[in-house]
Amino acid sequence: MRSILPSAGLVSLLAGVTGAVQLDVNSDDSVKDAASTIAFGLLKYYTGNNTGDTPGNLPDPYFWWEAGAMFGTMIDYWFLTGDTTYNDVTMQAMQHQVGKDADYMPENQTRTEGNDDQGFWAMAAMTAAENNFPNPPGDQPQWLALAQGVFNEYITRWDDKTCGGGLRWQIFTFNNGFNYKNSISNGCFFNIASRLARYTGNQTYADWAEKVWDWMSDVKFIDDDFNIYDGAGIDNGCSEINRAQWTYNAGIFLQGAAMMYNFTDGQDTWKQRTDGLVKRTADFFFDDGIVVERPCESFGFCDFDQQSFKAYLMRWMASASQMAPFTFDTLMPLLKSSASAAAQQCSGSPSANDFKGQPGTACGFKWTEKDKFDGIVGVGPQMSALSAVQYTLVKKQAAKAPVTADTGGTSVGNVNAGRPMEDKMPALAEITTGEKVAAGFVTTAIAFSVLGGTFFVMKE
């Protein structure tokens, strides 16, 4: 992942508020109208459905993983709003990127793909299965089988030889970051395993979810206070931890823990873990009820990847509030207050090069600024605002909840999906500077800089 900061100043000068998104979080009709407007602006960034472009890819400067995250958001958009406008383009993208082995390792990404990159596409497929998103034609890879394929490949990459276990950040030895183990890669494994356990009822998936959690706890990536840190290099046994705390790390484990609580019929261990994550997330990441990306937002250092992380926390908080209903009364007020602030930030009118949606509805990044548009626009801020808004439609006791194989799920699985690592070693050629290096998310140059963990401001 490259660290590229947008030119907020110029965009701010072009901002306007005449078409600002209006939102009443207590009115489903208002929420759906606001979500529709924001979604329109988001999909205007997507070019994969243009003639000559590649379905499923976002244009520069966005990396492949973020497209998978975006289409996961759009699957939920359809599920929550009933709007089918973007279903065809979502189906096309999700299928085009599966790769020849139906595991989200397409040839155009294989040389630079990390475990976290693959995981975000697999989680989108899992969302499609849980939401009963229209199934692909019978001769095409199915949603459940795609998630199972990635899970099976994660098992083959579990590395007991260093740090006592865990996934490495990168898949292949020749990529920078192969010697780093991080929370987001292992979070993807934990999240997919927990959701597969709930969907299929198969204990094997639950056992792996337990194993990932235990390892994260053993190496202190998750501490006793439910802080979740970025990761560590393997050279010192993962003992020198980068203590940056990002919203999406908290969220990915929160949803997974809530899924395990649901799968185990409220087992006390998972109740305590879920509750601990809820309380720490609420305390650490929210200022006056509005979510903040702690390591970079107040410094103005969030890159394009990091500008999207709030979207995933919003998604996973909403899911947790359903899977573990005892959390709803804590999480939903935070979602609603963040959504209200996000909608106020959706008031920008940048140039056509920066935003092709409805003028006055470009969404900024710093929601604590409320109606003072911050001028930071792009896929991340737009997707984050959409997520905050649409997930307020989630209800505590909803009849329309994510399904399982026993409660109406129709996606076809394949427990033997995926392929061994040795079959996937690509023939190496020089990687040009124009290619997208692995979308390593938060483990950026900042994380590896001399500033290290001391750069990040911790909120206690």
Side-chain angles (χ1 to χ4, degrees), residues 289-364:
I290 301 172
V291 66
V292 176
E293 199 63 61
R294 290 285 171 211
C296 60
E297 183 170 330
S298 63
F299 307 104
F301 290 159
C302 297
D303 65 26
F304 283 115
D305 282 2
Q306 295 154 3
Q307 289 169 20
S308 74
F309 293 171
K310 295 176 188 176
Y312 321 130
L313 178 61
M314 299 291 97
R315 177 194 303 178
W316 293 324
M317 284 172 58
S319 173
S321 75
Q322 275 196 317
M323 294 299 99
F326 72 90
T327 70
F328 186 91
D329 291 340
T330 299
L331 294 176
M332 187 50 64
L334 294 172
L335 278 164
K336 288 186 174 182
S337 53
S338 291
S340 295
Q344 288 181 281
Q345 267 293 304
C346 294
S347 60
S349 296
S351 71
N353 290 331
D354 294 310
F355 184 70
K356 294 180 172 61
Q358 180 182 334
T361 65
C363 299

Side-chain angles (χ1 to χ4, degrees), residues 108-354:
N108 65 333
Q109 299 295 328
T110 298
R111 286 190 299 162
T112 57
E113 187 173 339
N115 280 307
D116 47 1
D117 307 325
Q118 185 184 26
F120 264 77
W121 283 90
M123 288 186 290
M126 193 70 230
T127 298
E130 292 165 338
N131 288 356
N132 263 344
F133 188 72
N135 290 314
D139 62 344
Q140 298 299 310
Q142 303 299 299
W143 308 128
L144 178 59
L146 285 162
Q148 289 172 312
V150 174
F151 169 87
N152 289 339
E153 290 179 6
Y154 279 165
I155 291 175
T156 69
R157 299 175 198 152
W158 186 259
D159 174 30
D160 287 318
K161 296 179 180 179
T162 60
C163 306
L167 290 181
R168 294 173 184 248
W169 169 24
Q170 296 298 323
I171 297 172
F172 298 114
T173 59
F174 49 78
N175 282 332
N176 289 333
F178 182 74
N179 291 331
Y180 193 78
K181 293 189 176 182
N182 59 359
S183 292
I184 193 58
S185 294
N186 288 281
C188 288
F189 194 3
F190 173 71
N191 187 284
I192 292 167
S194 65
R195 293 164 71 180
L196 283 171
R198 177 181 177 271
Y199 189 95
T200 67
N202 188 325
Q203 184 62 38
T204 298
Y205 298 123
D207 291 343
W208 270 100
E210 289 268 11
K211 185 171 184 174
V212 176
W213 179 281
D214 289 346
W215 178 79
M216 287 282 297
S217 180
D218 289 345
V219 295
K220 304 302 182 184
F221 288 2
I222 301 177
D223 70 14
D224 293 341
D225 295 319
F226 297 96
N227 296 296
I228 301 181
Y229 303 116
D230 186 72
I234 66 173
D235 292 340
N236 294 302
C238 293
S239 62
E240 297 180 6
I241 296 174
N242 179 338
R243 296 186 180 274
Q245 291 179 252
W246 303 91
T247 54
Y248 75 160
N249 280 332
I252 202 168
F253 280 93
L254 172 58
Q255 187 196 31
M259 287 283 176
M260 290 300 292
Y261 170 84
N262 189 283
F263 172 73
T264 59
D265 295 322
Q267 186 184 89
D268 188 60
T269 296
W270 287 109
K271 185 179 188 298
Q272 292 181 24
R273 290 169 175 172
T274 302
D275 189 51
L277 288 170
V278 167
K279 290 177 179 176
R280 188 55 180 151
T281 298
D283 178 62
F284 186 83
F285 289 109
F286 288 81
D287 285 347
D288 296 325
I290 301 172
V291 66
V292 176
E293 199 63 61
R294 290 285 171 211
C296 60
E297 183 170 330
S298 63
F299 307 104
F301 290 159
C302 297
D303 65 26
F304 283 115
D305 282 2
Q306 295 154 3
Q307 289 169 20
S308 74
F309 293 171
K310 295 176 188 176
Y312 321 130
L313 178 61
M314 299 291 97
R315 177 194 303 178
W316 293 324
M317 284 172 58
S319 173
S321 75
Q322 275 196 317
M323 294 299 99
F326 72 90
T327 70
F328 186 91
D329 291 340
T330 299
L331 294 176
M332 187 50 64
L334 294 172
L335 278 164
K336 288 186 174 182
S337 53
S338 291
S340 295
Q344 288 181 281
Q345 267 293 304
C346 294
S347 60
S349 296
S351 71
N353 290 331
D354 294 310

Side-chain angles (χ1 to χ4, degrees), residues 356-369:
K356 294 180 172 61
Q358 180 182 334
T361 65
C363 299
F365 173 65
K366 296 180 180 178
W367 298 347
T368 52
E369 296 292 322

